[in-house]
Amino acid sequence: MSSDVIIRVSDLGKGFRAYKHPSDRLKQSLYGLAARLTPVPTLKAKLSRRAIASAQVFWALRHVDLEVRRGETVGIIGRNGSGKSTLLQMVCGTLAPTEGSVTTQGRVAALLELGSGFDVEFTGRENVYMNGQLHGLSKEQIDERFDAIAAFADIGDFLEQPVKTYSSGMFVRLAFAVIAHVDADVLIIDEALAVGDAFFTQKCMRFLRKFMQTGTVLFVSHDSSAIRGLCTRAMWMDHGKVIDVGDAKDVCNRYLEAYYEEHQGKSRKVSGTKQPAEPVSASTRRDRRGKYDAQQDRAARNFVFDPESARSGSDAATIERVEMLKEDSSPLLWVVGRENVTLRITARVRDPLEQPVFGFTVKDKLGRMLFGDNTFWVPQDDPAECVTGDRMVAEFRFAMPILLPGDYAVDIALADAARPRDAQVLHWQHDAYLFKSDAATSSTGLIGMPMREISLEVVHLHTS
Ligand SMILES: Nc1ncnc2c1ncn2[C@@H]1O[C@H](COP(=O)(O)OP(=O)(O)OP(=O)(O)O)[C@@H](O)[C@H]1O
């Protein structure tokens, strides 16, 4: 295998036995047993044929070829039952192929079936050690990394409890924490399992994006926007066959065209770089405010500040609060787009600052930076010098862009503009604030535009 090809799948097939009637399973076992026991060769052959005829082979996957090169992130897309998980299981070696072959280079770590690789009778801690060793780490290496793994999983005392007591979210947290610390060369991830709260999703995305700079990723998702956002190439599977392989955006567009063709009876033409909208159900499209109207705890659930979120830098200040407010300074309850919003950041100074600058960035659930700004120009005439213990309040007032429904995270950064350029950013708090968008939008792309009016005029030039 060329040293650059990290995963090679050749003419791969997986057949499962399928029985038309439950009694066929019993027939197959009895014929099989009788065939093994009988000393008469002609009878043995006859019984064996009957055993085979009682079951049919269902091919979950057949004649699949794929090459993934070092550093590539390849997405596998396809509807339910198209064979994606079966393929991934064969790539990581937890399922044996019926036909063909899979070869991989380097250390492969996977987030596939829930709890796979874990022994539910053992505690989280014990499973970290067992799983780490399965991935080739020594006990000493796991000792060194254990605190980082525990911090990533962030499941508190549950780490000392048997894994059978875990919720599915805790399972995923621990499993992801392990694969993030085993120095894998290849990551295999089923996005359906990467469930968890939005803070955890952002943490995983931060890790994944860093990993993708050098590592190789095979990623399964039903969500074509996730494949387009993360992957360089994509493979579309249906009924166990490869329908298309190529540039992720092109493959996703063709997949969506087929989706529309099937669901709307006709194909929506995709031209140029314009991307078709995701298949959004009517219920998602509806403005969802009505459903929850007047729920008082809404702000608390959908606008969350995490003072303990991951940070980098010198901790020059403590971010005490991040809020999104309405024009009357009351807490924002809904984000639907176009509303006037104040993003207020309150921080306490730890190290003196000559010319503090706050910045923020809003990211989508895949960690893509959508928009942001900073206070660089504000103190130009009157530098807001501050000393230890001072409180700083930065406010950004803006009309909220139209964000597709879903979860968003805000990173906060603090810099000192008076310092040399390479030392300006002193504190970076990742995912300090989380909010949800409930926009009713049919926009395409990452952010909807504040469309003022749409019209269509037809001018008939030829009269009959
Ligand atoms: N152990 C099994 N025995 C029999 N059939 C199986 C087995 N595992 C998978 N299948 C069948 O193989 C086909 C492919 O399944 P697979 O789970 O790979 O699809 P998938 O694309 O990952 O689906 P999803 O998106 O729903 O996870 C399905 O029809 C499934 O029912």
Side-chain angles (χ1 to χ4, degrees), residues 16-17 58 60 78-87 190 222:
F16 292 108
R17 290 197 191 290
F58 166 73
R79 65 170 104 200
N80 292 111
S82 54
K84 306 181 296 292
S85 311
T86 309
L87 169 65
D190 187 336
H222 293 117

Side-chain angles (χ1 to χ4, degrees), residues 200-236:
F200 186 67
T201 307
Q202 288 290 342
K203 194 192 287 189
C204 295
M205 281 303 159
R206 262 204 325 277
F207 160 74
L208 203 55
R209 285 193 178 275
K210 198 160 167 223
F211 180 87
M212 280 159 51
Q213 290 169 5
T214 51
T216 307
V217 181
L218 200 54
F219 176 77
V220 158
S221 177
H222 293 117
D223 177 2
S224 67
S225 75
I227 301 254
R228 276 197 300 244
L230 285 172
C231 304
T232 38
R233 279 200 307 136
M235 179 164 96
W236 164 18

Side-chain angles (χ1 to χ4, degrees), residues 406-453:
D407 294 312
Y408 293 84
V410 184
D411 283 0
I412 305 290
L414 174 64
D416 189 341
R419 298 190 187 207
R421 223 164 214 299
D422 55 349
Q424 274 178 0
V425 178
L426 303 170
H427 181 105
W428 191 292
Q429 194 142 345
H430 304 274
D431 314 324
Y433 189 73
L434 240 111
F435 67 94
K436 236 182 213 333
S437 164
D438 283 281
T441 176
S442 58
S443 321
T444 56
L446 298 179
I447 299 188
M449 46 204 279
M451 186 70 63
R452 288 178 40 216
E453 197 181 304

Side-chain angles (χ1 to χ4, degrees), residues 14 85-97 108 110 112-113 116-117 188:
K14 181 71 197 176
S85 311
T86 309
L87 169 65
L88 261 49
Q89 285 176 57
M90 287 192 280
V91 173
C92 28
T94 52
L95 196 65
V108 179
L112 287 181
E113 268 175 283
S116 61
I188 296 185

Side-chain angles (χ1 to χ4, degrees), residues 118-124 127 161-166 171 174:
F118 280 179
D119 188 323
V120 293
E121 298 298 330
F122 288 92
T123 65
N127 270 292
Q161 303 296 321
V163 162
K164 65 183 172 194
T165 63
Y166 285 18
F171 250 121
L174 193 59

